[in-house]
Amino acid sequence: MTTLKAKDYTTDQDVRWCPGCGDYAVLAAVRKALPVIGGAKENQVFVSGIGCAARFPYYMETYGMHSIHGRAPAFATGIKLANPQLDVWLVSGDGDLLSIGGNHTMHAMRRNVGIRILLLNNRIYGLTKGQYSPTSEVGKITKSTPMGSIDEPVMPLALALAAECSFVARCLDIDAKPLGAIMERAAGHAGTAFVEVLQDCNIFNHQAWFHASQKDTRPANTLQLVHGDPMIFGVDSERCIIRSQDGLGVANVADVDAADIVVHDETNRTQAFELATMRYPDFPEPLGVLYVNADRPMYEAACEDQVARAKADRPADLQALVHGPETWQVT
Amino acid sequence: MTTLKAKDYTTDQDVRWCPGCGDYAVLAAVRKALPVIGGAKENQVFVSGIGCAARFPYYMETYGMHSIHGRAPAFATGIKLANPQLDVWLVSGDGDLLSIGGNHTMHAMRRNVGIRILLLNNRIYGLTKGQYSPTSEVGKITKSTPMGSIDEPVMPLALALAAECSFVARCLDIDAKPLGAIMERAAGHAGTAFVEVLQDCNIFNHQAWFHASQKDTRPANTLQLVHGDPMIFGVDSERCIIRSQDGLGVANVADVDAADIVVHDETNRTQAFELATMRYPDFPEPLGVLYVNADRPMYEAACEDQVARAKADRPADLQALVHGPETWQVT
Amino acid sequence: MPDSTTTPTNQPPIAVDDVAVRFAGDSGDGMQLAGGQFTATTALVGNDFATFPDYPAEIRAPRGTTFGVSGFQVHFSSNTIHTPGDVVDVLVAMNPAAFKTNIADVRPGGIVLADEDEFGKVGLKKAGYEPDVNPLDDEDLQRRYRIVPVPLSRIVREELADDDHGAKEVMRCRNIFALGLVCWLYDRPLEPTIDHLNETFGVKKGRQDIADLNIRALRAGWNFGETAELVGERYTVAPADLKPGTYRRISGNEAMVLGLTAAARKANKPMVYASYPITPASDVLHGMSGMKRFDVTTFQAEDEIAAVCAAIGASFAGSIGVTGTSGPGLALKGEAMGLAVMLELPLVILDVQRGGPATGMPTKPEQADLLQAMFGRSGEAPVIVLAAASPSDCFDTAIEAVRLATRHMCPVIVLSDAAIANGAEPWKLPDLEAIEPIEITHPTEPNDGEVFHPYMRDEHTGGRPWAIPGTPGLEHRVGGLEKEAVTGNVCYDGENHEAMVHARQAKIMAAQAVIPPIEVGGDTTSDTLILGWGGSRGAILEAADQLSAAGTPVAHAHLRHLNPFPADLGDVLARFDRVIVPETNSGQLRFLLRATYLCDAIGVNVMRGRSFQVQELVEGITRAMEGKS
Amino acid sequence: MPDSTTTPTNQPPIAVDDVAVRFAGDSGDGMQLAGGQFTATTALVGNDFATFPDYPAEIRAPRGTTFGVSGFQVHFSSNTIHTPGDVVDVLVAMNPAAFKTNIADVRPGGIVLADEDEFGKVGLKKAGYEPDVNPLDDEDLQRRYRIVPVPLSRIVREELADDDHGAKEVMRCRNIFALGLVCWLYDRPLEPTIDHLNETFGVKKGRQDIADLNIRALRAGWNFGETAELVGERYTVAPADLKPGTYRRISGNEAMVLGLTAAARKANKPMVYASYPITPASDVLHGMSGMKRFDVTTFQAEDEIAAVCAAIGASFAGSIGVTGTSGPGLALKGEAMGLAVMLELPLVILDVQRGGPATGMPTKPEQADLLQAMFGRSGEAPVIVLAAASPSDCFDTAIEAVRLATRHMCPVIVLSDAAIANGAEPWKLPDLEAIEPIEITHPTEPNDGEVFHPYMRDEHTGGRPWAIPGTPGLEHRVGGLEKEAVTGNVCYDGENHEAMVHARQAKIMAAQAVIPPIEVGGDTTSDTLILGWGGSRGAILEAADQLSAAGTPVAHAHLRHLNPFPADLGDVLARFDRVIVPETNSGQLRFLLRATYLCDAIGVNVMRGRSFQVQELVEGITRAMEGKS
Ligand SMILES: Cc1ncc(C[n+]2csc(CCOP(=O)(O)OP(=O)(O)O)c2C)c(N)n1
Ligand SMILES: Cc1ncc(C[n+]2csc(CCOP(=O)(O)OP(=O)(O)O)c2C)c(N)n1
Ligand code: SF4
Ligand code: SF4
Ligand SMILES: [Mg+2]
Ligand SMILES: [Mg+2]
C-alpha cells in the first residue's frame, strides 16, 4: 500500500467554516493523523449529523455521509452492521450528539458499536447562529436565552461512562499531536471510542475554552492524564489531585505526600467518572484518555458471529424456507 | 382538607394488566401512598408514555395523560412549565423511558424539572409481547433475539447520576411500604426524583427479579441502603460492602474491620455511582435512596423566576410592543 | 372414542359449502392455538380458507373480562374464498365475556357452543352481566341462535383428572377439547392435531405427558360431540377446487418475511432489517431475526428513527436496508425518509397499518396511512408506494419493493395492515426459479473518464450508481443538502434545485415502465368499476361476485402500485361511467384519483377497526350505484 | 460634507417611482445591517417597501468566496408594492464574489457600485475569477451595466484613520460608507442612521467612539457621492400613497412573535412557546424569549419532538401551547400532532418552510410543506392549516391560529416561509382594541349532573371542554387510544371509532362557519382566476396588475385557510373558466383543489429556492392562459 499524505484526504470542496473556527484545526489534525493510523481510504467512512462540525465529511476524501440532525450514531451503526470491516468515524457537534442525538449516542455506546466519535464541543449551536447548547454553562446569554440559560449543562464524559462507553477521551481542537495520538488509540480500539474535542466557535462562543487552551492558561487549568502517572498540573507542576472523603480535590504538591497524589488509571471507571464530573474552575479540565475497557465485545462482531453460527447451523435453503413446516397437495 | 383514602384514587376503569403482574402491586402502593403524602387530588397529574406500565394514569383518579411512546418526560416538562404548582408523577416502563425515551429522561433530569418518575423496570417489552428491552441481560432469548440479545443493558441509576438527577432511588414492586416512603421523600424533593421499581412481568419475563424479591432470596441478594448506616446485608447480616483499590467489593463482616465497611452517604455522588454500577450476581441489588442533592435549582422555578423578573423589569404593554422601536406617520 | 382414523358416525354428515367458525375465549384460553390448529386441519382437508385473529390491545387483561376476550375466526369453503367471513356459523364461547362480545356476529340460526360451567355468578359478573341472568337461558337469544350449553370445564376436569397433573394443567386443555368438538362437528381428522401436539409438547419440550393429556382432551371433545347428541347433525365441507400444486398456510407477516428474504437472495445481497417493535408489525422483526442464515441481519433499534437511519446506513454500505413499523412509527421516520430521497439510496419501509390516529386501536386494521405514505415528509419528496392485497400477496409485494428500490435507487413504502398481517390463507408455493433475479451492479470504476460522479443517472431508471464503501477510487460524499446534478456536490443554485426536484420525481414515474397494466376483472362491460387497494381485495372480489349473482354485474380492479399508479390507470378509469372506491378510511385513494385524474370517484368508506364485511360492501356499492352514497 | 440636515446638491435629484437596491458583500461585511438601516430610512421617508435578505447556509464561509456572499435587497416605491423586486437598479458589490453572484440580477443599465480595492488578484481568485481578468474592466459588462468602481476601502482606510482605532475597526465601517453613498444617490436623510449609530454603539454599548467612527464613514460615503461625480445624477422617490396611520417596519418572524403574544393577551392566557432552533424559524424562538413579561414562557427543548410534546403538555395544563419549526422539524412532530388530534387540545404549530426535501436549502423559501401539513400523520388526523401571505400578515394569521385552536380544541398549523420570515415591509399598526378577545372558558363544574364528561362536545364548534388540572372534581384522563364519545374512556368499539373519526373531521370543518368568504380582486369578470396561498400574494398582485395593464385582466384571490377551505371556495372556482394556481412547489394546492372540487386548475410552478419573480409569474400565467402550460 502506498503511504498516504494529508492532502490525499483533501477533497476538491472549499472548506466553508468561518475564519478562525476551531474546526479547521481538527480537520487538519485528522487529515494528518489518518495516514499515520493507516488503512485504505476506501474503507474509511466519515459520518456526521447536522451543524457546523457536521460539514466535516465533505472535506474528507473518503466515503462520507452528512446525514440528519442527531442521528449520525444510528447511520453509523447501520453502516457497521452492513460491513463491520469499514473504519467508521463520526464527527459532529455538541448539539447534534448530545441534544437531539443524545439517545442514539448513548445506545451506540452501550452496545459498543465499533465507531470512533469525535464530538466537537463548542458549547453553542453554531450553524443556527448562536443558541445555547446542552453543554453551555448556566446563565449563558444567547439569542434564545436573553436572561441567561437555566439548564444545567450535560457532562459528556460522565454520560459516556454511564453508558459504558469503552473508550473515553478528551482533547483540545488545536492540539494536533495529542489528538492524533488519541485517534490512533481510538482506531485500534474494539468498540465505541468517544473523544470530546474542546472546540472554539470563533463567532458565537469565542474563547469558551480559552481558560484551558491558551499558552498562558493551559498549564494551570488543564490536567494532562497519563496512565500510571500521578495527576499533577500547574505552571510549575505545583498542583495536584488528591482524594479526600468528599472525593477528588485539588492541592499543592508541596503540601501533600507524594503517595497521596491520585495516580491516573485508565481502567478504573469510578475514578474516570470522578474525572468526568470535575468542573472548572474548581478543578482543571482533564485532557487525555480517561477510560479504556478493552474487554467488552464489539456489537457488530457479535452480530456477525450470530449470522455465521446460524449459517453453520442450518443451510440457507430458500426452497425449504418457503415450503415451511406443513404443506398439502392439491391435485 | 378531608383526608383521602386509597379508594379515592381509584377510577371506574377496570384494571387491564395480566393477572399476577407486578404493576398491580405498584398501583396499590401508589394509591396508598398518596393520601399519606397529602396534597389535593386535583393538583396531581399522572403522565405516562406507552407500554403496560404506561396504562397507569387510567387507574388514578387524578388528572392524567397517557401520551405517546417515550415522550412522557417532555409532556411532563410542558405541564410543569405551564403550572409549576402541579404535582406531576410520571409512571412508565423501561422500554419507554430508556429506549425510545432515553434522551427526554436524561434531559429532564439534567434540567432538574420537578417531576417524580417511577420507572417500572421489568427488563422486557411487555405490551408488544416480549421483545428484549434496554435493561434485558445479555444473551436473553426473546422473540426478536432467537439467538440471544447482544446489547449490554443500560444501567438506569448510573445514567440518572451522570445526568445529574438530584434524587435517585430504587425499590421492589411488592414493597409497598418502602415504595411509599420513597415516594414521600420524592414528593418532598425539589427537582427530578427518579425511582427505579423492579417489576415482575408475569407473562414475558417472569421471575426476572426473583433473585432479589423473594423471601428466601432477598436477604442474601439485596442491599438495603440507609443513609449513615454501614452497608451490611445477608441472611444473618453477615455480608458487607468494603472498598478496595479496585472499588467496591463484597466481604464477610467477620473478616473485616467494622470501620472498613462502607457507610452509605446519600449525598456522595461518586459512591452512588459505584452502587449504581454494581451488578448482580457479583453484588447484591442495592435498594433504597442512592443519592439526593437538595441544592440544585428547580427548572420550572428558575423559569417562573425569569418571567417574574421580566414582569418587574418592564410593563407588559402590548401597545408599546406592537409599536416597536421605530415608527413613522403617514397622513 | 374415535381411533386415530376418523370413524364416520351413524348419520352421515351434511355437506355444506362454506362455513365460518369463531373460537372465542379469554386471552389465556388458547384460542389462537385452537383456531390455528383447526385451520391447519382444514387446510389439509383441502378447503380454501381465510382466517382472522382478533385479540385485545391488552396482553392478558384480567380473566373473564370483556376486554380480555381473544378471538380466532376461520372461514373455510369448498369454493374459492377471500375473506374470513362477515358472520359466523359456529361460535365457541369459552366464557360469558366471549359470549357477550361475539354473539352479535353469529348468523341467525348459527350454533353457539358455550362452556356452561363458566356461566356462574362470578363469570357473569366479570363479563358485566347481571349475576342472576344467564344469557344462555335468554329466550330471545335461544330463538335467534342454536345455543348449545356444553359442560366443557366439568368434562375436562373429570375426564382428564390423573395423579400426575394439577388442576391448572388439566384445565389448560379446555381449548383442545373445544377443538375436538368442532372437529367432530365438521368431520375433520384429528391426526394433524395429534401429530402437532406430539411434536410441540413431546419432541420439542420433552413433555410427552402434556401431549398425551391434550390428546385425551381432543378425543374427549370429539366423543362429546359423538355421544351427547346436543347438536344433532354434523357437517362436512368438500375440498375446494384450487389450482393444483403444493400449498401451505401463510399469514401476511410470515409472507412478508419470506418475501424480503427471497428478494435478498434473488438480489444476491445481504439485507439489514432494522426495526423497533410495534403492533402489528413486530412479527416481521421476529421472523426476520430467524433469517440470519440467509445473510439477514436484524437490528432492534432504540426507536423508529434509529431503525430507519440504520437501514439507510446499511444501504449506503451495500446491504439492502429495510425497516418496518406501523403508522405512528412511520410518522417518526418521515424526516429520515426525506434524507433517503435526497441520498437516492434503496430503502424499503414496511408500514403495517393499524387504526389511528395516534395510538388509536393498535390491534385493529385500517387503510388510513396512504396519504401519510405519499406526503409525510418535508418538501417535494416522492417515493414509491406499494400495498399488499392479502396475506400471501405480501410475498410478491415485498419482492417488488426490493426490486423497485434497487432499480430506481429510492425509498419504497410497502403498506400492509393488521388484518393482512395476522390473517392467514392457503398459499400455493411459488416457483422460486421463476422469480426473476434482481439485478444489482455496484460500480467499480469511475463513470466519467477518471472521475466518479455519484449523481450521474441511468437514463432508463433515473437511478444513480450505487457505489459502496470499500471500492477504491469511488470515494464520495452524500448528504441531505441539495446536490448538484451529476457531481452530487452541495449546491444552492435555484435552477439546479428545480432540475433535481424534477429528476427525483421523474425517476419515481420511471417505475411505470415496469409496472404491469391493470387487470380488470368481473364484468368488464359494466358501466361501474370497483377499484380497490390493499387488504380489501378479498371482500371486493366476493362482493362483486355477489352483485353479479344478484344481477348487477360490475367490473373490478385492484391496485398494488399507489405511486406511481400504473400508466394505464387514467385510461381504465375513463372507460367507466362510475368508479367506486371502497376503503377502510375516509377516502384516501379516492382523493388521489380525484386529484390525479379528475375522476369523480365515489367512496364506500367504513372505519370500524376491521376489514370490510362483504355484505356491507355489497350494500355500500349498491347505494353508490343508486345515487351518490 | 452634509450637515445633519440633508443639503440638496447642485443638480436636483431626478424623481423615479420605483427602485430596488441590493447590498451584497461577504457574510462578515455587515450587509444586513446596511440594508436594514437603508430600509429604515426609506420607511421614514414614506415609501412603500419590501425587503429580501439572502444569506448563505454557512455562518461565515471564508472571506471572499462566492458561497460566503450575503445579500440584502430593498425595493422601495412611491406606489404600493408587494415584492422585493425581480431585478435590482443598484447593486453594491463589496467584493468580487458579491459582484459575481449578483450581477445577473441587475437590470440592464442598472448601476453597480463596486469596491475596486477588493478586485485585486487575491480577491479575484477567491471569487473564482482568473486573477488577471478584472470583471470591472469587462467591456461586455460595461456595456450592459453602469459599472462604477469606487475606491471604497482606500477612502475608508484613509479618511477614518486615527490613533484610537485599529485597521480592523476602521475597515468594519465599509458597509456604512456604502450606505452613505447610496443615501446620497437616493437623497435619503442621514439622521436616522446617525441616531441609530449613537443609540447602538454610544448608548447601549458605551462606545461613542465607534459610533463617531461610523458616522464619519457615513458622511464620507455621502461626500464621495457628492464630490466624485462618478454617477452623475441622483434620484429621489416620492412618498407612497399609503393609508394614513402609524407605520413600522416588520419582518415575518417579528410579526409572528407579536401575533402570538397579542393572541395570548387577547385570550388572557399564559403561553408556552416550546421549540428547537432551526433555520428559518429560530428567530421566532428568539423573539418569544423576550416576551416573558407578557406571560410567555419559552422552552428550548432537546429536539423538535420534545418541543411539540412540551407544548401539548402545557396546553393540557391550561396554557396556550405553541411550537415552531421548519419542514424537517415538522416531520418529526407528526406523531405527537396525531396525539394532539386525539387529545383534542389546542396547539399551534408554526412551520417556516424552507427548500426541501431533507436538509435541502435551509435558508431558501419554498411552499412545499402544504401536503405534509395536511397529511403527515398516521390515521385520519385532520388539523386546521393556515398560511401567512406576507411579513405583516403573520400577525393576523398567528391570532387567527390561536383563536381557532382554542375554539375547536385542535391543532392548527401555520405555514410561513423563509422569504416571509426574513423579509420586511411597512406595517400599519393595528388597532389592538379592535381585535376581538379570544374567549376561553375552562369548566369548573361537571357538565352532566354530577359527572364530568371530557369528550362531550360543543354543538357549534365541535370542541370539547378544556378542563385543566387544579380544578377540583373534573379529574379526568386523556390519551392516544381511541376514546369513547362523551366519556373519553378507552374504547375499541368499531362504531364508536367511526363516529369519532367523523367527529374529529366535523369539528375541523366547523371552522368554516367563522372563516370569511373569499375576496376576489382584480377583474372579477375575467374568465381567469389566479388563486394563490402563502408568500406568493405580493407577486401575484403585481403580476395581476401588470397583466391588467397589458390588456389581459384577470381575477385573483388568495387563501389564508387551506384546511378547511373557505365554504365558498367551490362556488368561486366554478365562476371561472380557468383557474391558475401559482406555487413555488410542484403543485400542492392545485392537488388539493383538484381532489376537493374536481377543478382542472393549472399550475405555474417554480422551485428555485426563492419567491416568485413578478416577471416569471406574468409569463407563466400568460402561458397558462394560452395553452396548458
Ligand atoms: C431536525 C432538525 N432540527 C434542527 C435543525 C437545525 N440545526 C442545524 S445544526 C443545529 C445545531 C448545531 O449545533 P452543534 O451540533 O453544536 O454544531 P455546531 O454548529 O456548533 O458545530 C441545529 C439545531 C436541523 N437541521 N434539523
Ligand atoms: C412510536 C411507537 N413505537 C412503538 C410502539 C410500540 N410499543 C408500545 S409499548 C412498547 C414498549 C413497552 O415496553 P416498556 O416500556 O418496557 O413497558 P412494559 O410494557 O414492559 O410495561 C412498544 C415498543 C408504540 N406504541 N409507539
Ligand atoms: S459558527 Fe462557530 S462553529 Fe460554526 S463555522 Fe463559524 S466559528 Fe465555526
Ligand atoms: S405483559 Fe407483563 S408487564 Fe404487561 S401486564 Fe402482563 S405481566 Fe404485566
Ligand atoms: Mg456546537
Ligand atoms: Mg418493560
Side-chain angles (χ1 to χ4, degrees), chain A residues 77-78 80-82 84 111-113 297-311, chain B residues 132 147-151, chain C residues 271-273 292-293 295-300:
Chain A
T77 299
K80 283 300 261 184
L81 286 174
R111 294 190 184 112
N112 208 30
V113 183
M298 253 210 302
Y299 191 77
E300 63 273 31
C303 202
E304 237 187 345
D305 176 57
Q306 287 197 342
V307 171
R309 280 194 287 132
K311 285 181 179 171
Chain B
Y132 78 116
M147 299 179 74
S149 75
I150 58 176
D151 308 40
Chain C
M271 178 173 278
V272 172
Y273 186 83
K292 296 191 171 64
R293 65 189 184 282
D295 248 333
V296 170
T297 298
T298 52
F299 175 54
Q300 180 177 317

Side-chain angles (χ1 to χ4, degrees), chain A residues 208-250:
Chain A
W209 300 108
F210 270 29
H211 65 271
S213 62
Q214 302 304 291
K215 224 176 174 176
D216 55 337
T217 59
R218 180 189 293 226
N221 296 336
T222 67
L223 169 67
Q224 192 61 57
L225 298 167
V226 179
H227 183 62
D229 280 5
M231 299 183 189
I232 293 176
F233 64 105
V235 183
D236 301 311
S237 301
E238 79 285 9
R239 307 277 281 163
C240 64
I241 304 290
I242 54 156
R243 181 185 302 288
S244 77
Q245 279 237 321
D246 305 330
L248 299 186
V250 173

Side-chain angles (χ1 to χ4, degrees), chain A residues 18 55 69 99 131-132 144, chain D residues 58 60 62 276 286 300 302:
Chain A
C18 306
R55 295 292 173 95
H69 196 33
S99 190
Q131 300 81 14
Y132 77 116
S144 57
Chain D
E58 286 71 29
R60 203 161 293 175
Y276 185 71
H286 307 157
Q300 180 176 316
E302 56 270 28

Side-chain angles (χ1 to χ4, degrees), chain B residues 50-53 69 94-96 122 124-128, chain C residues 276-277 304, chain D residues 335:
Chain B
I50 300 285
C52 294
H69 197 34
D94 45 322
D96 191 71
N122 54 16
I124 199 84
Y125 284 1
L127 191 67
T128 48
Chain C
Y276 186 70
E304 282 85 352
Chain D
E335 191 206 3

Side-chain angles (χ1 to χ4, degrees), chain B residues 14-19 24 50 52 55 59 66-69 71 95-96 98-101 125-133 142-147 151 203-204, chain C residues 26 55-63 65 67 126 276-279 282-283 285-287 289-290 292 298-305 328 332 354 358-359 362-363:
Chain B
D14 296 295
V15 184
R16 304 194 183 182
W17 289 310
C18 306
Y24 282 101
I50 300 285
C52 294
R55 296 291 173 97
Y59 311 136
H66 177 225
S67 71
I68 46 176
H69 197 34
R71 320 297 175 186
D96 191 71
L98 297 172
S99 190
I100 186 168
Y125 284 1
L127 191 67
T128 48
K129 306 200 172 170
Q131 301 81 13
Y132 78 116
S133 91
T142 68
K143 284 191 182 150
S144 57
T145 51
M147 299 179 74
D151 308 40
I203 302 296
F204 295 113
Chain C
D26 201 74
Y55 40 79
E58 286 70 30
I59 300 309
R60 203 162 292 176
R63 271 201 81 83
T65 56
F67 45 79
K126 272 192 198 156
Y276 186 70
I278 186 166
T279 306
S282 304
D283 280 337
L285 169 62
H286 306 157
S289 69
K292 296 191 171 64
T298 52
F299 175 54
Q300 180 177 317
E302 56 271 26
D303 64 15
E304 282 85 352
I305 300 177
L332 286 168
R354 65 190 216 184
T359 310
T363 57

Side-chain angles (χ1 to χ4, degrees), chain C residues 180 263 293 314 337 409 415 527 557 600 606 621:
Chain C
R293 65 189 184 282
M337 283 169 52
M409 295 292 283
L415 298 171
D527 62 354
D600 191 4
V606 171
I621 293 171

